[in-house]
């Protein structure tokens, strides 16, 4: 009888107990793992053996058992709940994956528990599962909880899922249907000095209404653009907000085809509001740090009035901020 078959017989005969010698022979764990793989071919009948594998002293054997139980789905629910209490985060992560396949499981309760797990990969898996589910009040509340996670990657994933702003707009100069050359007939540089500035490590500034035109930012310190925020003493990677009121002159005479806000460089992603109206984003990841972009603000701009410009910036590494000039361009 092969070693794997002998181990399978022992597991069955000892009511699923796994007896591991203090110093096991080389290859013994591999043999036990192979026995689990062979047993899995018997489907639900393999449940006792696979559940016994969760108690194995070898982590690779435990993880194999958890994976095979997750593949079984609903029939393995009890065993997966047992695996969910494992000290091994990989086993817990695999058990979570399997439990989420079971329709009878209270998914919100399971995911809520997963968000309290000590392992950030387990919490990340929970957030990814939340994102894929219909947005009920319970799911929304769990995403809000995850948005306050101590781990930046977990927090970022949840914050992105909760992010309510997106606008697909093609700038006039990039429209394939435009039938003549676009000319800039007026350029209004935005001031470099005097921007109000706030860090947003929890990425919840939009929930605090920082993008709204009438938000009171008077308590925020000021900062200059056309430089990295590190130059102003902020050694920081993450989200930060810039706000400034800008005086815009009267509307120029003649035909205006569009008005755009142009930025020569934000490190690395930006979301922009004009007078509380969301006008679009520059969000192509780290590669966007040195790429100029424009956004259409034709319907948001107020001529002959004070306009509120708000920019949310995300920087994931190195220098960050609005490090090049911004301006308003009138196009004809």
């Amino acid at each position: 009888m092969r070693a794997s078959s002998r181990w399978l017989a022992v597991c069955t005969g000892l009511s699923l107990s796994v007896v591991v010698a203090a110093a096991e022979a080389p290859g013994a764990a591999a043999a036990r793992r192979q026995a689990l793989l062979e047993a899995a071919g018997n489907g639900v009948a393999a449940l006792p053996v696979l559940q016994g594998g969760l108690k194995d002293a070898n982590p690779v054997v435990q993880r194999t058992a958890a994976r095979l139980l997750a593949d079984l789905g609903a029939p393995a629910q009890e065993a997966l709940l047992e695996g969910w209490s494992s000290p091994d985060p990989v086993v817990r992560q695999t058990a979570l994956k399997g439990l989420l396949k079971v329709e009878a499981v209270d998914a919100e309760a399971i995911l809520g528990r997963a968000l309290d797990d000590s392992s950030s990969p387990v919490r990340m898996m929970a957030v990814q599962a939340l994102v894929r589910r219909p947005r009920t009040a319970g799911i929304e509340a769990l995403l809000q909880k995850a948005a306050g996670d101590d781990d930046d990657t977990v927090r970022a994933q949840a914050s992105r899922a909760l992010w309510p702003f997106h606008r697909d707009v093609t700038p006039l100069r990039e429209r394939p249907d435009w039938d003549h050359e676009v000319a800039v007939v007026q350029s209004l540089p935005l001031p470099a000095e005097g921007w109000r500035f706030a860090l947003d490590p929890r990425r919840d500034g939009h929930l605090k209404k920082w993008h709204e035109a009438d938000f009171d930012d008077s308590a925020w310190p000021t900062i200059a653009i056309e430089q990295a925020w590190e130059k102003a003493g902020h050694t920081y990677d993450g989200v930060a907000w810039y706000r400034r009121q800008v005086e815009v002159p009267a509307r120029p005479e003649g035909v205006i085809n569009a008005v755009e806000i142009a930025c020569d460089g934000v490190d690395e992603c930006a979301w922009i509001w004009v007078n509380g109206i969301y006008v679009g984003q520059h969000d192509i990841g780290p590669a966007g740090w040195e790429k100029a972009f424009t956004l259409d603000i034709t319907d948001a701009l107020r001529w002959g009035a004070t306009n509120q410009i708000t920019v949310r910036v995300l920087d994931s590494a190195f220098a960050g901020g609005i490090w090049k000039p911004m301006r308003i361009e009138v196009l004809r």
Side-chain angles (χ1 to χ4, degrees):
M1 184 182 291
R2 294 185 303 172
S4 59
S5 300
R6 286 200 303 272
W7 182 80
L8 180 58
V10 168
C11 279
T12 306
L14 294 180
S15 301
L16 315 181
S17 297
V18 178
V19 181
V20 180
E24 61 183 11
R32 296 197 301 276
R33 179 179 181 275
Q34 182 61 35
L36 292 178
L37 294 170
E38 292 177 5
N42 296 320
V44 176
L47 264 175
V49 175
L50 299 181
Q51 192 166 3
L54 290 176
K55 301 180 178 70
D56 197 278
N58 185 281
V60 175
V61 177
Q62 293 175 27
R63 294 172 183 182
T64 299
R67 176 174 60 81
L68 296 172
L69 287 165
D71 289 342
L72 283 176
Q77 179 177 342
E78 182 179 342
L80 289 169
L81 287 170
E82 179 183 335
W84 183 234
S85 300
S86 170
D88 185 340
V90 176
V91 173
R92 296 199 304 275
Q93 191 173 359
T94 306
L96 173 61
K97 182 178 179 181
L99 286 168
L100 292 175
K101 296 178 182 177
V102 181
E103 291 184 6
V105 164
D106 184 345
E108 289 188 15
I110 289 290
L111 291 170
R113 178 179 169 185
L115 291 178
D116 291 326
D117 198 276
S118 60
S119 167
S120 57
V122 173
R123 301 197 303 276
M124 176 61 84
M125 176 177 279
V127 172
Q128 291 168 342
L130 288 167
V131 170
R132 293 191 295 268
R133 291 185 173 269
R135 195 61 62 85
T136 64
I139 296 296
E140 185 83 9
L142 290 175
L143 284 170
Q144 294 284 2
K145 176 181 178 179
D149 196 274
D150 290 335
D151 184 276
D152 187 62
T153 56
V154 175
R155 190 165 64 245
Q157 180 84 2
S159 297
R160 185 175 291 273
L162 290 167
W163 186 246
F165 300 99
H166 184 81
R167 186 182 182 207
D168 291 318
V169 177
T170 302
L172 186 64
R173 282 168 282 197
E174 297 178 15
R175 281 176 48 182
D177 62 330
W178 198 247
D179 62 358
H180 65 267
E181 184 176 352
V182 175
V184 178
V185 296
Q186 187 174 15
S187 181
L188 307 171
L190 299 187
E193 303 289 338
W195 290 75
R196 297 289 182 175
F197 181 76
L199 302 180
D200 186 12
R202 292 290 179 182
R203 306 188 185 210
D204 60 357
H206 63 293
L207 300 177
K208 300 173 183 175
K209 311 300 184 184
W210 289 0
H211 58 284
E212 293 190 353
D214 58 357
F215 174 77
D216 182 5
D217 58 18
S218 59
W220 290 13
T222 58
I223 195 172
I225 63 170
E226 302 181 24
Q227 64 175 19
W229 60 47
E230 282 82 357
K231 191 171 181 180
H234 302 285
T235 304
Y236 168 77
D237 292 321
V239 171
W241 294 68
Y242 294 78
R243 289 174 54 91
R244 200 188 196 290
Q245 291 188 338
V246 176
E247 297 299 325
V248 174
R251 185 185 188 281
E253 295 183 0
V255 175
I256 294 176
N257 291 319
V259 182
E260 294 180 350
I261 191 165
C263 183
D264 292 337
V266 171
D267 192 349
E268 57 201 54
C269 302
W271 295 259
I272 299 180
W273 293 257
V274 175
N275 298 318
I277 299 171
Y278 185 63
V279 297
Q281 63 282 325
H282 171 67
D283 183 17
I284 60 173
W289 74 276
E290 61 176 350
K291 297 186 183 299
F293 64 93
T294 61
L295 296 171
D296 188 291
I297 63 170
T298 306
D299 296 332
L301 190 72
R302 297 173 186 164
W303 293 106
T306 301
N307 285 253
Q308 172 64 51
I309 310 295
T310 303
V311 185
R312 177 186 187 263
V313 175
L314 167 65
D315 173 56
S316 62
F318 308 112
I322 306 172
W323 65 288
K324 285 192 174 182
M326 294 183 69
R327 61 195 171 277
I328 294 171
E329 294 184 339
V330 182
L331 307 181
R332 183 176 297 164

